[in-house]
Amino acid sequence: MKPAPPLSSAGALALSLPLLLCLCLSLAPAADAHNITRILAKHPEFSTFNHYLTATHLAAEINRRLTITVLAVDNAAMNAILDKHLSIGTLKNVLSLHVLVDYFGTKKLHQISNGTTLTSTMYQATGAAAGTSGYINITDLKGGKVGFGAEDNGGDLNAVFVKSVAEIPYNISVLQISQVMTSPEAEAPTPSPSDLNITAILSKQGCKSFADLISASGALKTFDDNLEGGLTVFCASDGALSAFMPKYKNLTAAHKVSLLLYHGVPVYQSLQMLKSNNGVMNTLATDGASKYDFTVQNDGEDVKLETKVVTATVTGTVIDQDPLIVYKIDKVLQPRELFKAAKAEADAPAPPAADSPEGDSADQTADNSNGVGGGLLAEVRVVVGVVLSLCLSVVFL
């Protein structure tokens, strides 16, 4: 068989450049990522608003949204709501009304169809709002003003547009409004962390067996101790736990506690955060060399937890009440520290190499000695290095 002619330098470049350009495009979104904390940090007049976006975990939610509008208020305006001494959970609901899940730049504000519109907020999107109480009314007013008000606040447009703070078109817009928007629904009291009863919550939502185990084992105290700073719990359903009980009974008392603590993460992780945080996650059982971690992996709309022993899928949210969030999962999480890792599938044997036609080896040797293979490879390496450098310079601008 006659060997294929070697690629020319131009041919090799033509093949490699499209792949490298695709790599550049795949890296491009990283350059567009926004960070609301950094944006507001450039404007000291919003320092109080910025602080409470972080304290309520809203900043993390904002940063993970692809399209968002933040209605910021200055320090003087924030004092009015802080004087009410709302709990951190209630304050989160109020501030959630100031995060619109759509893009509104200055130009769009003054071009609203029919002069008025209702738009959904983070308060509505999280499911915390009843009915349509998580919607904001935006209306163009006489004299070029734009009014804002909560939908369930009697139609009162109590805030007006002041100025644009920062705009990255169709990604994030930060606009200043004159005062805090609120409503009776948003200001309704929310339980403080000390009022949350983890076992009672689990027992009412199909996780009674899990609740009974953490109470009986003594693991409950560790869960309770982490509530104040934020806690995410992955609760195996009663059916999944029932099937696992023979294995559980064979564990020592200390290992039973470790297994149960393995289902808790000492930080609040909303579903949106979870979907954005692929990678290794430590747990309440993590202790130095005893890693007790698992990997969060998104599969389309599904969130999967991989332990090297078993892969569980999040099937629903039991409660989302910052600082506590509880998810139901379809399997008990089994750490590799206590159970044998699942055996990897044996690699398929490599297909036998095809016999080379006579003369191929000699032809290849001749090509290399003439510098075609080595020279071409060197040229391609240079081009790859240059293009990758350009890509990285774009990403880190």
Side-chain angles (χ1 to χ4, degrees), residues 162-176:
V162 177
K163 67 180 181 182
S164 173
V165 178
E167 294 183 25
I168 303 175
Y170 312 111
N171 187 0
I172 184 171
S173 174
V174 182
L175 309 175
Q176 181 184 358

Side-chain angles (χ1 to χ4, degrees), residues 178-311:
S178 60
Q179 59 182 303
V180 173
M181 297 179 296
T182 188
S183 69
E185 179 70 27
E187 287 193 27
T190 58
S192 66
S194 59
D195 294 331
L196 293 171
N197 187 316
I198 295 177
T199 54
I201 292 169
L202 294 175
S203 296
K204 294 177 182 177
Q205 299 293 335
C207 292
K208 186 177 185 307
S209 297
F210 185 78
D212 291 343
L213 289 180
I214 63 174
S215 295
S217 66
L220 178 59
K221 184 179 185 305
T222 304
F223 281 92
D224 285 338
D225 288 346
N226 281 273
L227 261 178
E228 189 75 30
L231 178 66
T232 301
V233 179
F234 298 97
C235 162
S237 65
D238 287 345
L241 201 49
S242 175
F244 178 76
M245 282 308 293
K247 286 185 177 181
Y248 181 82
K249 291 177 180 178
N250 287 330
L251 296 174
T252 65
H255 285 167
K256 287 177 180 177
V257 171
S258 294
L259 174 78
L260 296 170
L261 294 181
Y262 188 60
H263 290 71
V265 175
V267 65
Y268 172 86
Q269 289 275 353
S270 70
L271 188 59
Q272 188 65 29
M273 293 178 185
L274 212 55
K275 287 183 176 180
S276 304
N277 283 344
N278 282 351
V280 176
M281 186 172 289
N282 289 335
T283 68
L284 293 176
T286 301
D287 183 17
S290 300
K291 292 185 177 180
Y292 281 97
D293 55 26
F294 56 76
T295 300
V296 178
Q297 185 66 49
N298 292 301
D299 182 11
E301 287 300 308
D302 292 334
V303 177
K304 296 185 179 296
L305 312 177
E306 300 174 354
T307 76
K308 302 294 186 184
V309 180
V310 69
T311 297

Side-chain angles (χ1 to χ4, degrees), residues 307-341:
T307 76
K308 302 294 186 184
V309 180
V310 69
T311 297
T313 301
V314 173
T315 58
T317 303
V318 174
I319 184 174
D320 182 358
Q321 194 167 293
D322 192 0
L324 172 67
I325 187 165
V326 180
Y327 298 103
K328 187 178 289 187
I329 54 178
D330 63 351
K331 295 178 183 177
V332 174
L333 297 177
Q334 300 178 43
R336 59 186 179 278
E337 287 80 4
L338 300 180
F339 302 94
K340 291 182 179 179

